[in-house]
Amino acid sequence: MLAKAVPRPCSGAGRHGAPAARLWSVGVAGGPRRGGAGGRLVAADAGERMTGSEAVPVVAVAAGKQPVNGSAMAGIDKLVTSTVGKSTNVLWHDCPIGQFERQELLNQKGCVVWITGLSGSGKSTLACALSRELHSRGHLTYILDGDNLRHGLNRDLCFEAKDRAENIRRVGEVAKLFADAGLICIASLISPYRSERSACRKLLHNSTFIEVFLNVPLEVCEARDPKGLYKLARAGKIKGVYWN
């Protein structure tokens, strides 16, 4: 069993020259970032009080954002919150360990490989084969399979147009997190609409989005019909099966 390390103050220099995990820079929009201009923010441990030169100046409020007084973070007089979708008074918290550091640790670059195609075209099979090959070469991957996700994350969604769009949106957001974590994320979904795939692509500002279309003829997919969907659709028992 590993012995618990005795807490001690951080006095050494971090990789960018600042005291490790203690010294930050606060930008004009209120978000802490490394090496930027702005007021100094020194983290306080529980029970510590920050006075004198450690006091943090009031953070400037960006246009359209709401300042909040009485922050739980020691030494901060005002924080900037935003409204995102239906969520109000939310604040983005940055961490000193970012995508760059995670990618250095894994010795790979995070990205998303998005596999699209008809049911029965081989998306899941290709995703697994790709993951196995990358794993054998020492790369960390994770597969987001459309059917697998409907066992958990998307179990509340049906196959109507509105829910299909939400299904793709959720997968895109999760894929973005995996890529940000430095993983090679392999998503395999029918995802028939270009607009929805493009929306997922736009989520990845700092990672690569690779789209793979399995151009397998309908008659081949229908002959395979691994889930019996085409047979049920032909019999008029289910709707929403994409034929092209």
Side-chain angles (χ1 to χ4, degrees), residues 3 11 54 59 99 109 113 169 173 176 181 197-198 218 231 241:
S11 57
E54 290 186 343
V59 179
Q99 185 185 46
K109 288 188 177 181
V113 179
R169 188 196 70 80
E173 291 285 355
K176 171 187 173 182
R197 298 194 304 272
S198 296
L218 173 60
K231 183 177 180 180
V241 174

Side-chain angles (χ1 to χ4, degrees), residues 119 159 221-222 224-243:
S119 177
F159 290 92
C221 295
E222 191 168 358
R224 294 172 178 173
D225 204 8
K227 297 189 290 184
L229 296 179
Y230 293 108
K231 183 177 180 180
L232 292 173
R234 294 290 187 191
K237 295 181 179 180
I238 60 171
K239 297 180 180 180
V241 174
Y242 289 93
W243 304 97

Side-chain angles (χ1 to χ4, degrees), residues 67-78:
V68 177
N69 293 321
S71 167
M73 293 177 63
I76 297 182
D77 298 313
K78 291 186 178 182

Side-chain angles (χ1 to χ4, degrees), residues 18-35:
R22 303 281 292 177
L23 181 61
W24 287 80
S25 173
V26 179
V28 294
R33 68 180 189 272
R34 287 186 168 190

Side-chain angles (χ1 to χ4, degrees), residues 161-184:
K162 182 179 180 181
D163 279 7
R164 280 185 178 273
E166 174 61 13
N167 176 62
I168 300 303
R169 188 196 70 80
R170 291 183 190 180
V171 177
E173 291 285 355
V174 174
K176 171 187 173 182
L177 295 177
F178 274 117
D180 185 62
L183 276 68
I184 300 173

Side-chain angles (χ1 to χ4, degrees), residues 30-205:
R33 68 180 189 272
R34 287 186 168 190
R40 297 201 328 159
L41 186 159
V42 181
D45 295 330
E48 290 184 358
R49 293 190 62 187
M50 301 173 65
T51 58
S53 62
E54 290 186 343
V56 179
V58 174
V59 179
V61 178
K65 297 190 176 182
Q66 178 67 34
V68 177
N69 293 321
S71 167
M73 293 177 63
I76 297 182
D77 298 313
K78 291 186 178 182
L79 291 175
V80 179
T81 63
S82 303
T83 296
V84 182
K86 295 181 179 179
S87 299
T88 59
N89 300 314
V90 293
L91 176 70
W92 182 271
H93 290 272
D94 276 316
C95 175
I97 303 301
Q99 185 185 46
F100 176 78
E101 288 76 14
R102 291 187 286 269
Q103 291 183 150
E104 277 199 326
L105 179 66
L106 296 171
N107 194 29
Q108 65 181 41
K109 288 188 177 181
C111 69
V112 174
V113 179
W114 192 283
I115 305 174
T116 178
L118 294 174
S119 177
S121 60
K123 299 181 299 298
S124 298
T125 301
L126 176 60
C128 290
L130 176 59
S131 179
R132 183 171 59 250
E133 177 62 25
L134 290 172
H135 179 81
S136 70
R137 298 187 184 190
H139 295 292
L140 185 60
T141 67
Y142 197 87
I143 297 175
L144 296 177
D145 182 86
D147 276 11
N148 290 357
L149 290 171
R150 285 184 178 271
H151 282 77
L153 177 66
N154 295 334
R155 66 188 303 172
D156 60 322
L157 302 177
C158 66
F159 290 92
E160 296 178 357
K162 182 179 180 181
D163 279 7
R164 280 185 178 273
E166 174 61 13
N167 176 62
I168 300 303
R169 188 196 70 80
R170 291 183 190 180
V171 177
E173 291 285 355
V174 174
K176 171 187 173 182
L177 295 177
F178 274 117
D180 185 62
L183 276 68
I184 300 173
C185 179
I186 306 169
S188 59
L189 305 95
I190 294 176
S191 46
Y193 298 117
R194 180 179 299 173
S195 59
E196 294 171 359
R197 298 194 304 272
S198 296
C200 292
R201 181 191 298 273
K202 291 178 182 178
L203 291 173
L204 276 74
H205 302 293

